Amino acid sequence: MLLICDALLVAAMISVNTGVIAAFAIGVGYLLYGLSHEKVRARTSSGLPKALRISLLVANAAVILAISSVAALGRVDTVSYDEDAVVVLGTAIRGETVTPPLRERLETAVEYHAANPDALVVVSGGQGPGESITEALAMRRFLVSAGIPESAIVTEDESTSTHENFVHTKSLLDARLGERYSTVFVTNDYHVFRAKELSRIAGLDSASMHAATPWYTVPVDYVRESLAVVKLLVLRE
């Protein structure tokens, strides 16, 4: 029930995405299992119910271990504050409004810029369903309002995935900084593990700096990220 309610809350406050749908479906699955497994066990003499319970316990333990590892790794920052550019990875906006997860990323980027004002700030994110403008434009507006000069901001507004964030950003930075430069990316903690690997694949090999994840999006975000990590392992993107 908690997964179902959390999925509905995130859908209402932010957007409907893969994580919302997956969390809702998993919540429904758990709920149906909880309501029916004793009845199924009572009606059959085979070993299926016990085997099913053991399989579910093993699967749950594996998922919890994977999520815990991603969460722990996501909180280990490798930033040195002397990078040539800080890349803020986009995530959903609501219309033209920055959502709480993206706000956390941007506020972290503002903190970074205060410590290293010479670095370029790359805002990376295209326009998705339910978004009136690109995520990059929404991020640019936020950073300018926070006091970061427009001349320090580089806009990448074509990407539709984390993989594309890094590929398109590398093209922009290559043209502006040449072949030798260092970068750090900013994203929410649940996203750091996958983003780190994708930055390597794109050829940036960025350092990382994590932003907090709003508490009410944690279940949905980690369900979605688990699926995305599987995609990364299979497709390498």
Side-chain angles (χ1 to χ4, degrees):
M1 286 298 296
L2 286 173
L3 274 175
I4 293 171
C5 292
D6 188 67
L8 294 175
L9 176 64
V10 174
M13 294 188 65
I14 300 178
S15 67
V16 177
N17 56 44
T18 305
V20 168
I21 296 170
F24 185 85
I26 292 171
V28 170
Y30 276 127
L31 181 61
L32 292 176
Y33 175 77
L35 293 173
S36 64
H37 82 280
E38 289 298 338
K39 292 181 181 179
V40 173
R41 183 181 182 186
R43 290 179 182 178
T44 180
S45 58
S46 70
L48 180 60
K50 182 178 181 180
L52 180 62
R53 287 197 299 275
I54 293 174
S55 298
L56 285 173
L57 285 172
V58 171
N60 286 339
V63 170
I64 291 171
L65 177 61
I67 288 175
S68 299
S69 299
V70 168
L73 292 170
R75 292 178 175 273
V76 179
D77 292 336
T78 57
V79 59
S80 61
Y81 295 98
D82 61 0
E83 291 83 7
D84 298 300
V86 53
V87 183
V88 190
L89 300 177
T91 190
I93 60 175
R94 193 171 181 86
E96 297 186 10
T97 304
V98 169
T99 54
L102 185 53
R103 178 180 291 272
E104 294 285 353
R105 300 183 189 190
L106 292 166
E107 290 177 346
T108 301
V110 171
E111 293 174 9
Y112 178 91
H113 186 264
N116 182 14
D118 294 329
L120 294 174
V121 183
V122 183
V123 289
S124 179
Q127 185 172 346
E131 298 176 344
S132 303
I133 58 175
T134 64
E135 294 165 10
L137 178 55
M139 290 190 282
R140 186 184 186 94
R141 289 175 177 175
F142 182 98
L143 294 176
V144 170
S145 69
I148 295 180
E150 289 199 41
S151 59
I153 302 173
V154 177
T155 302
E156 186 289 294
D157 58 5
E158 297 181 357
S159 57
T160 60
S161 67
T162 305
H163 175 69
E164 291 182 2
N165 285 150
F166 287 116
V167 171
H168 296 325
T169 293
K170 185 177 186 302
S171 295
L172 292 174
L173 291 178
D174 283 352
R176 185 150 179 172
L177 299 176
E179 295 182 358
R180 298 181 65 84
Y181 56 86
S182 59
T183 60
V184 56
F185 67 80
V186 175
T187 191
N188 302 103
D189 47 16
Y190 71 86
H191 189 217
V192 169
F193 172 80
R194 184 165 60 94
K196 184 70 174 177
E197 184 61 26
L198 288 171
S199 78
R200 291 194 188 102
I201 293 172
L204 277 178
D205 198 15
S206 296
S208 62
M209 186 176 183
H210 81 280
T213 301
W215 65 268
Y216 57 88
T217 72
V218 166
V220 166
D221 285 335
Y222 275 98
V223 167
R224 182 184 184 186
E225 193 63 15
S226 297
L227 298 175
V229 168
V230 172
K231 177 185 175 184
L232 170 63
L233 295 175
V234 174
L235 301 179
R236 303 303 294 164
E237 64 177 35

